Amino acid sequence: MDDALYQQLQQERLLNQVTTQIRQSLDLSVILSTAVKQLRQFLSVDRLLIYQFELEYLSTVEAPELDGGGERTLEQSSQFLGKNVPGYACGKVTYEDRSSQEILSVLNLSEDQHCFKQECSFLDKYRQGFIKSVSNVEHDYAHTPCFIEFLKQFQVQSLIIVPIVVQDNLWGLLIAHQCLKPRQWKTMEKRFLKKITQHLSIAIHQAQLYAQLQQQKQTLEQRVRERTQALHDALLGAQSANRAKSQFLATMSHELRTPLTCVIGISETLLRYSGEQQANQKMPLDKQQRYLKTIHDSGEKLLGLINDILDLSEVEAGKTVLQISEFSWSKLVHQSLNSFQEKAQNHQINLTSDVKIKPHQNRFTGDQERIRKIIFNLLENAIKFTPDGGRVTLKLKVDNNIAILQIEDTGIGIPDDKMPLLFEKFQQLNSAYDRQYEGTGLGLALTKQLVELHGGVIHVQSTTGVGSIFTVHLPALPLMSQKPQGEITESPFKTSLPSVYLNSPRRKCVLIERDEETATLICDLLTASGYQVVWLMEGFTAVKQIELLQPDAIIIDLNLPGQFSHEILNQLHHQPQTQKIKILALTYESCFLESKVNLSFEYYDCLVKPIQPDELLNKMIALKMN
């Protein structure tokens, strides 16, 4: 009785030590290694170890069906543990403590692929808490000689195996070996080992939760770092934009002030000479002409600057519509060179052309004015950055309905580090505060936008001190009168802007819309597309005004207060002079449902709000062609 009580007290003391260790530490390796050492000493066994399964593998393998007896066969369990996977071990010994150096170490040992089938058959039982004790391995494993040899290799004569189950998953096995002599395992020892493994299961689960928490913490920290970096990048972007704005304002201040100063100064001089006080003095005629030409040139420069800004803003807002027509390449090139010939001669620059097109390739379809603008911008840029005595050449050839324009110069060239800024708005290669060349930095940005609007691409090759070659590829765009909408060929180049174009004479359109913002957008788009738009905010007198105006199309908001929109449509349909007018309805609902309601109209289409510019223009083109 005294021995049993003593043993129980010792067990309680060891349990308290393990529990205290679990409470004091979250380091699982420390907890398990300490528990293995203390438990081996308490049980007085020769070797005590923890065999840990690869839980990631077990959790992803679907267990095979049970045989008729309700248990898995050896082959099924072996397959479940991954025995048929060459070179794969389902676990290994991760913790070990030995009574002496005479006892061989099994640390990091994995089971033998064939001999371990004996233990595989107990897998389900272990998961349910089964404790296996073997007093004599030669007797209990007599039917598995291979496994006996495996155990003898490591001096095992008796063993006890207690499962470590964590959250209903078999995490590992606590195994005690008696090596020097056989041993009979007591029931009290089994119960005690079961309690120990329950505490270890708590420690393991606690460590897993802590590891998950640490992982979440690291993930959160990484997200914070990424977000901080994103905010930092955004700040740098904002600072860069602010610097670009400051440079642009400085540039614009210079570009506006210079011609305005000339206009104001020279006009004041002319006014002084024309006043009463200077009536007896007359300015020489050639000087007057020179002054007037300076005023005219300054005005042209200001107008060009304002037009560049407006053109760029219209392109970016999607309000620019290409006016497609047929034109002559040779005539356009000749006119472009003549426009810059005087400026080139003033700087002793040899301005030439190299046009390699066949007679049948001379006629081209596209927006002639926008293409002229592209050529002008590139020629002006080339002449501006080419030193006196240099050469600028305009080259042209047409291949498979794609025009290839090249502006080649012997100018200062573009440094490699400045290439990414070349087509950016308000960017110049020299500082706005230390300027050697005039300009706003809008020319090339606008050129790129116009090229892409035309469905083309632009790229540049440049060598510092040698010169630059700007190459533009422009596909021929079909005349709308020659091709139906469904047959229009898309541009072969990938661009950031949609190509929107019309070539018809101005058409009348009535817009019935109460929302001012929507109406303004539609008016601007259609006006730029060549339409004459009449905007009606109220529907009371709409029918009478439509009868008077006889528009080509009507755009009407179906969500007007009351039933005005449907009443207007009904009246238009029943009056002979308006029933053939094309209708484009604006709605927040499905266009399919609206089409069902208005099948009576011969030309009827629908557009869902909010308005997309390209979709609106495509709808209008489709109505026009019908």
Side-chain angles (χ1 to χ4, degrees), residues 472-510:
V472 177
H473 292 77
L474 292 175
L477 298 180
L479 291 170
M480 296 301 296
S481 58
Q482 296 176 356
K483 276 198 173 184
Q485 177 69 12
E487 298 180 10
I488 293 177
T489 304
E490 292 186 359
S491 167
F493 306 107
K494 293 182 178 180
T495 67
S496 60
L497 294 173
S499 295
V500 184
Y501 44 86
L502 294 170
N503 69 327
S504 60
R506 292 179 68 84
R507 293 169 172 262
K508 286 186 290 186
C509 175
V510 170

Side-chain angles (χ1 to χ4, degrees), residues 377-391:
N377 283 348
L378 293 177
L379 284 175
E380 184 176 18
N381 195 70
I383 293 173
K384 179 169 64 175
F385 291 102
T386 298
D388 292 357
R391 184 180 68 257

